[in-house]
Amino acid sequence: MGVCVVTAACLYVPQLAELVGRRALVVTLHEWSGLLSPVPVLVGLASRALRTDLRLLNRFHPHDRRWLRAAVRRDKRRESRPAGKFNAGQKTYAAWIAGAVLVMLGTGLLMWFTDLAPLVWRTGATFVHDWLALAIGIVLAGHIGMALADPEARRGLRTGSVDREWAEREHPLWRP
């Protein structure tokens, strides 16, 4: 995903394109990294821990609706945002990014293999691909910004474990 985002930036931002040069190589890297983007998740499905996390991400509970209402109202009180291992924002982001990757893969294939569809479909695919790429970039920047603001969450992403007090404070319904 990182290679897709970086190569897309190099293809669309003229200053980056000039800095990097070698457009044909950047295009090839972008195409192949996009094609291979679902592979890590597919390989990860062999892991029981990932399958368990995917089950948790795929279920919304009443406390998740409460969390989302509090987020929309910008209510920052901890008691108004109950969360299990994943909060409702993380679940929503995971679902959105999974769908976005599939749409990007489909539209990318239509653009790459020009004989698959008529010109009007390829034009539409290019439009959707470009605008969704921009949306992914914006959401990804927000996601990174939130991670930078929470060192304990970053440690959890890096090592797979978090401090018990942090987990009880941020995810009170989580029972590891």
Side-chain angles (χ1 to χ4, degrees), residues 87-106:
N87 66 42
Q90 292 166 321
K91 291 177 180 183
T92 304
Y93 174 78
W96 184 81
I97 202 71
V101 165
L102 293 176
V103 170
M104 293 297 280
L105 182 62

Side-chain angles (χ1 to χ4, degrees), residues 133-149:
L134 179 61
I136 289 171
I138 291 167
V139 171
L140 192 59
H143 191 81
I144 290 168
M146 291 179 77
L148 290 174

Side-chain angles (χ1 to χ4, degrees), residues 68-86:
L68 286 172
R69 276 193 303 274
V72 168
R73 291 184 193 130
R74 298 190 184 272
D75 183 353
K76 300 211 185 267
R77 294 174 298 138
R78 300 240 184 256
E79 63 273 6
S80 66
R81 292 190 183 202
K85 181 174 185 180
F86 301 105

Side-chain angles (χ1 to χ4, degrees), residues 1 12 26 32 38-39 41 51 64-65 72 85 89 92 94 107 117 148-149 169 171-172:
M1 182 70 147
Y12 286 101
V26 173
W32 281 100
V39 171
V41 174
R51 290 193 311 270
D64 291 317
R65 283 185 263 296
V72 168
K85 181 174 185 180
T92 304
T107 56
L148 290 174
R169 183 180 69 247
H171 297 268

